[in-house]
């Protein structure tokens, strides 16, 4: 536990400047965007130059960029992401409404990707160079090359429209119907996770093959230990180190891919919120969503670092 605590402290100290850099990047991009808060605020009206100037002065939009950045970081530390220029509602409340659905979709996708990749990666490694391995490698190659949005459209056509097994879109709250909730998220989660599952399958297969060829595996099996025990207890555990690295990076892909998938399936999550804000020219909401997703990506990778220590005792001793 002490090793994990020391590692967490080091990672957090590294993440602080990284998060500040991410916030700075988003801040600058939004400041040089054509979607200005004053234009969004007066959208649909014909404000005079004096009204626009008064809005800019009242909201500190004419202050130097360093001053505005420091003020913006201070607001974020207080949990204040600004106010939507269109709805006049706090951005924090809009994100709090949309974020749970995106987290559900992402976690559902992660679970599907892990289960499928571990299952087929292990099978491919055990039956290497035989027909199960060849089939899995071919299917995983196709999966890696298949965009999530294309898979989503195919699933809607063949599984929702033609057969009616799943709804074509929309979201059902689990408090209303658990089965309806599962059906509403299954196709989006599959479309989002299958390319990642295919990529992880190939990595797990390669890692498993490398571990199976090591001397300790032959020694353990030669000493009488059942192959299932050796593979499950030692080989798989050691082989998961590299896939964990990829999984941490791909979770960021899941969060970003949710923007498109939520739009296709009409899910009221972070993606739909950001698309609507971009379309309506609401920079505060776009800024809040991007920062939230970036922070989520950083936090996920911190959790992956902790999993490294749990999976590999040698990393714990090095920490």
């Amino acid at each position: 536990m002490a090793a994990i605590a020391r590692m967490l402290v080091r990672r957090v100290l590294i993440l602080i400047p990284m998060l500040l850099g991410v916030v700075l990047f988003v801040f600058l991009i939004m400041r040089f965007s054509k979607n200005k808060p004053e234009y969004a605020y007066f959208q649909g009206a014909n404000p005079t130059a004096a009204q626009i100037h008064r809005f800019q002065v009242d909201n500190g939009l004419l202050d130097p960029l360093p001053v505005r950045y420091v003020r913006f970081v201070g607001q974020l530390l207080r949990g204040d992401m600004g106010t939507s220029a269109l709805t006049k509602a706090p951005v924090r409340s809009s994100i709090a409404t949309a974020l749970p659905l995106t987290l559900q979709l992402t976690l559902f996708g992660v679970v599907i990707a892990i289960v499928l990749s571990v299952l087929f990666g292990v099978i491919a490694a055990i039956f290497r160079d035989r027909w199960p391995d060849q089939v899995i490698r071919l299917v995983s190659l196709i999966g890696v090359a298949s965009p999530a949005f294309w898979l989503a459209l195919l699933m809607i056509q063949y599984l929702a429209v033609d057969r009616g097994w799943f709804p074509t879109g929309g979201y059902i709250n689990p408090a209303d119907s658990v089965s309806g909730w599962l059906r509403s998220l299954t196709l989006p989660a599959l479309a989002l996770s299958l390319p990642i599952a295919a990529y992880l399958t190939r990595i797990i297969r390669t890692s498993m093959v490398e571990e199976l060829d090591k001397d300790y595996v032959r020694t353990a099996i030669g000493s009488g230990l059942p192959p299932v025990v050796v593979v499950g207890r030692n080989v798989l555990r050691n082989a998961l180190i590299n896939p964990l690295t990829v999984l941490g990076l791909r979770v960021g892909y899941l969060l970003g891919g949710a923007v498109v998938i939520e739009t296709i399936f009409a899910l009221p999550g972070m993606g739909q919120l950001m698309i609507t804000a971009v379309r309506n020219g609401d920079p505060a909401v776009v800024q809040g969503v991007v920062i939230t997703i970036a922070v989520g990506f950083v936090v996920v990778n911190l959790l992956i670092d902790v999993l490294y220590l749990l999976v590999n005792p040698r990393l714990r001793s090095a920490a």
Side-chain angles (χ1 to χ4, degrees):
M1 293 302 295
I4 295 178
R6 288 195 300 270
M7 189 276 296
L8 282 175
V9 171
R10 288 201 298 267
R11 290 294 189 274
V12 169
L13 292 177
I14 294 173
L15 291 180
I16 290 175
M18 184 184 300
L19 287 173
L20 290 175
V22 169
V23 171
L24 176 62
F25 178 77
V26 175
F27 174 83
L28 292 176
I29 290 294
M30 296 309 300
R31 293 307 169 274
F32 290 106
S33 170
K34 292 182 179 180
N35 290 328
K36 303 294 184 182
E38 53 267 38
Y39 299 149
Y41 183 83
F42 290 108
Q43 196 173 59
N46 293 313
T48 63
Q51 288 175 314
I52 293 178
H53 181 75
R54 173 51 54 190
F55 179 86
Q56 292 173 331
V57 172
D58 291 343
N59 291 274
L61 299 178
L62 299 180
D63 294 339
L65 277 180
V67 174
R68 293 165 62 187
Y69 173 69
V70 172
R71 183 168 59 236
F72 179 62
V73 171
Q75 291 174 341
L76 288 179
L77 292 176
R78 296 192 301 270
D80 181 9
M81 292 186 171
T83 303
S84 170
L86 295 177
T87 65
K88 309 303 184 290
V91 174
R92 180 177 58 186
S93 62
S94 300
I95 291 177
T97 302
L99 183 58
L101 191 150
T102 299
L103 290 178
Q104 293 170 35
L105 177 60
T106 303
L107 291 175
F108 201 177
V110 168
V111 170
I112 292 175
I114 291 175
V115 171
L116 292 179
S117 60
V118 171
L119 175 63
F120 291 111
V122 171
I123 292 174
I126 292 175
F127 294 96
R128 74 174 102 172
D129 298 329
R130 286 180 276 178
W131 71 264
D133 181 29
Q134 300 293 344
V135 171
I136 291 173
R137 290 166 66 183
L138 176 62
V139 173
S140 64
L141 182 62
I142 295 173
V144 170
S146 301
F149 72 87
W150 181 73
L151 291 174
L153 295 175
L154 286 182
M155 289 177 184
I156 290 175
Q157 180 63 47
Y158 292 107
L159 300 180
V161 176
D162 292 349
R163 290 167 178 78
W165 294 346
F166 300 95
T168 58
Y171 174 72
I172 298 177
N173 196 297
D176 298 329
S177 172
V178 175
S179 60
W181 171 74
L182 285 172
R183 292 180 71 244
S184 67
L185 285 186
T186 297
L187 289 189
L190 280 172
L192 200 58
S193 64
L194 286 181
I196 297 176
Y199 190 68
L200 285 174
T201 296
R202 298 175 65 84
I203 294 178
I204 291 175
R205 186 255 181 204
T206 301
S207 298
M208 285 286 296
V209 168
E210 291 177 356
E211 288 296 321
L212 287 172
D213 287 338
K214 290 185 177 178
D215 292 337
Y216 79 88
V217 177
R218 290 188 289 269
T219 301
I221 294 176
S223 63
L225 288 176
V228 174
V229 174
V230 176
V231 171
R233 182 182 299 174
N234 301 108
V235 177
L236 182 59
R237 185 173 183 176
N238 293 333
L240 286 179
I241 301 297
N242 290 335
L244 276 176
T245 307
V246 177
L247 179 62
L249 297 174
R250 291 289 163 163
V251 169
Y253 165 84
L254 282 173
L255 289 170
V259 173
V260 177
I261 296 300
E262 287 175 1
T263 303
I264 293 175
F265 287 94
L267 298 174
M270 295 283 281
Q272 189 78 288
L273 178 64
M274 185 165 72
I275 292 295
T276 303
V278 170
R279 186 182 298 120
N280 295 331
D282 197 345
V285 176
V286 175
Q287 184 174 257
V289 171
V290 172
I291 289 176
T292 302
I293 292 176
V295 170
F297 177 77
V298 169
V299 171
V300 166
N301 280 274
L302 178 62
L303 295 177
I304 293 297
D305 287 339
V306 175
L307 286 177
Y308 285 159
L309 297 179
L310 296 178
V311 170
N312 195 332
R314 289 175 296 179
L315 293 178
R316 288 201 294 271
S317 61

